[in-house]
Amino acid sequence: MAAQETAEHKYVYDFAEGNKDLKDLLGGKGANLAEMTNLGLPVPPGFTITTEACKAYLATGAEPAGLAEQIAAHLEALEREMGRSLGDPQDPLLVSVRSGAKFSMPGMMETVLNVGLNDRSVVGLSAQAGGNDRFAWDSYRRLIQMFGKTVCDVPGEEFEHALDDVKRAKGTTNDLDLDADDLRGLVDAYKKIFSKHTGREFPQEPREQLDLAIRAVFESWNAERAVIYRRQERIPADLGTAVNVVAMVFGNLGADSGTGVAFTRDPASGAQGIYGDYLANAQGEDVVAGIRNTVPLQELERIDKKSYDELLDYMARLEGHYKDLCDIEFTIERGKLWMLQTRVGKRTAAAAFVIAGQLVDEGLIDLDEALHRVNGAQLAQLMFPRFKLDHEFQPVAKGIGASPGAAVGKVVFTSARAVELAAEGESVILVRRETNPDDLNGMIAAKGILTSRGGKTSHAAVVARGMGKTCVSGADELDINIPQRKFTVAGQTVTEGDVVSIDGTTGKVYLGEVPVMPSEVVQYFEGTLDPEQTDDALVQAVHRIMTHADARRRLAVRTNADTGADAARARRFGAQGIGLCRTEHMFLGDRRELVERLILAATDAEREDALAALLPLQREDFIEIFREMDGLPVTVRLIDPPLHEFLPPLEQLAVNVAVAQERGEDVAKEEALLAAVRRMHEENPMLGLRGVRLGLVIPGLFAMQVRAIAEAAVAVTRSGGSACPEIMVPLVGAVQELETVRAEAERIIAEVVGDSGVEVLIGTMIEVPRAALTAGQIAEAAQFFSFGTNDLTQMGWGFSRDDVEGAFFWRYLELGIFGISPFESIDREGVGRLVRIAAEEGRAARPGLKLGVCGEHGGDPESVHFFHEVGLDYVSCSPFRVPVARLEAGRAAIETTGSDSR
Ligand code: PEP
Ligand code: MG
């Protein structure tokens, strides 16, 4: 390498100097070109300018010191290797200048091909191509077009129009009908367009072309579309792009040349085979532009058997080397195969599981690595029902898959109409340009949401994901007219009441009703599809990887369930107990009247009566749940919500009373009720009389629940079962609260349990920041902690959990204040710190203290890794997320033991 590079920062790497692990520095494309070069594959020679050079340029607006000289040195080496020099009028070297960031950002940044052509070297290129003038002038006009557009912001359509004019004059629509003279004329026209817009001549100096093209690639990192894409894909904004300068090879030199893409297995299903497309006599950009139809890759065997065999050999080598599905771009120049790019290929969720399983079978990876290569988000996707698509259904638009699922329903354009039709039992799809908080009721009523604007962090997307509702956002082909209640797409008009089907995973929109089929993965978890009996490769792969995750994980996975049916389903899904049985819903329905009596009781006797009536009902609730969870722990949380939720709404009641009084009716009872509701009314019920506070204020309420739990446990145990209840006190902030509840509970338990052998634990939720900060004291009185991260997030941030996601989170996401809602994924630094402190101080005070989490985060993949790290014993989540938590707990375990072979 040139001597000056040792003294200064190294900004340029020859392909032979890099490798696949240098993606941060060389970008994905550069690192993989280097890897292929070192594997001895035929990669056109070239070099990579690092992301650090890009970052330095973007920070200062100028190329960093030394970069120009390093480029000169590497260019010289490239010229020597190729035996040609840039701009040589007799035998020119041409190069492509390509972007390549660490993460693939398809089509977001710039590429300039054929750099090095000018009025003189175009003649040399023709000679090089065996006197092919047409090819040389076509290459030159492509350079001016690409360079003009990407480097100098010349409007691309001006070049398109000029090309159309030439074709029209010639009476053709096909580029291939233009001859060398036509293209020479086009070069003149392009040059005029160039100078009209830039005020200068098209640069004839090749090094200037190269420098300007490199600069344009650097700058394209901050192009608007790239910024938006990064935000959507959560790619950090400060990575910068590398630039690859590569000797040009040509696929458009005649019938013995061509270009194509290939996958080492099917990226959609994971099936093994040869997948790809080939286009003869073409450059890569023609494939992307879809100008002519490609042929399946298998056809290449007939067209050019030698190149085909060679390609298959390289594909096998790459797969063996990367131990994964690779995608490849290649070009054949006059019968010589060149590899232009490879990377570990993107794949669908189903293919990820299938391929991981296959690679284990092939001995390329072990089961830990297979587990590492799939994730909970993919598994969650596979658990949604899917559209059954055959040829008759073609999408009419494609937006962003903002919240997964398959939804079918009648189109409505307003929130009010959504609510009306849903109340009549219709499935509706709410269609809006974009949604705002006023649409919330409509979004709740709808089966799915479809918008024409906004990305993955738009209001519609964020709120829909929070609700678990299917959403396609940013389907900009839809021309929506809200006042006229219609939209047009692909030449068709859809009016209110027409049926559409939207796929929240792929973002595709279909007219009419597409049949929906259940997920086979859910059938497997449900136990209705036996992995040993089926030939479904996906189910087999999921089974195998889940089994391994279970063997590896340290975290237990429980479920949040408060009915026997939910408990049973969760158990089939692999739940190892209940981490949160919320008892509030047990006070609704026809028991509401009893609760009203309890709240309104004027005397001790009236209150005790109401409690006595509730006791057997509660006991039955718990018996059902203990039976379903036989032998497994069940954490029952004492009642939590504010009492006014059990009473009629204040305004409505006040109106009813006033109207009745006006009519002279006897309203004594209603007036008493109204007075009670007024008494109970709170401005901030989430911060008011709920949880343990309620238990301390209403005598006998918690005692009744404790008795019901203990009696149910004894009943189940005496009938031959095994009940393992854990009583959990909500919203504790001070140890004294817990001590008071516990003293009474222990008395009752001792009385009920007797010699039955039932053991009842008493613990607390940690969901008030003060509890987390005094966990050492609280642990003295608690046999377990369960983190209520919903409330801990609410109170840690001071965000009302019922309001903020719909109100302003979309803006916080847009501004990058959050990467993701803190209600969805645990805020490690803030709320997570409270968890960590409480876990450490709790265990210091009571070694071996059992720790779990039962907030929504317990089923979030990212958060599961955090809870593993903090050392919790279990996570608890909704039944449907149990498999996701099992998988992620397994992944978390292998990641911390460092068995990752990559
Ligand atoms: C919590 O706050 O995290 C929790 C599990 O309790 P709830 O959601 O019922 O308030
Ligand atoms: Mg809570």
Side-chain angles (χ1 to χ4, degrees), residues 599-642:
I599 301 169
L600 299 179
T603 63
D604 286 354
E606 278 175 28
R607 191 182 54 248
E608 279 157 20
D609 259 12
L611 287 169
L614 280 164
L615 176 70
L617 302 174
Q618 279 265 271
R619 189 171 51 225
E620 284 310 309
D621 297 332
F622 298 132
I623 286 177
E624 191 188 337
I625 289 170
F626 291 148
R627 287 226 163 97
E628 292 296 354
M629 280 289 160
D630 190 49
L632 298 177
V634 174
T635 306
V636 181
R637 182 180 71 184
L638 303 180
I639 189 165
D640 185 23

Side-chain angles (χ1 to χ4, degrees), residues 699-719:
L701 176 59
F702 275 9
M704 179 276 290
Q705 288 198 292
V706 170
R707 185 173 294 278
I709 294 165
E711 288 180 358
V714 170
V716 168
T717 304
R718 290 212 196 282
S719 65

Side-chain angles (χ1 to χ4, degrees), residues 729-749:
V729 185
L731 228 72
V732 165
V735 67
Q736 294 84 352
E737 293 170 310
L738 183 61
E739 281 168 347
T740 311
V741 173
R742 187 177 158 182
E744 185 183 33
E746 279 178 340
R747 224 178 314 112
I748 297 167
I749 292 166

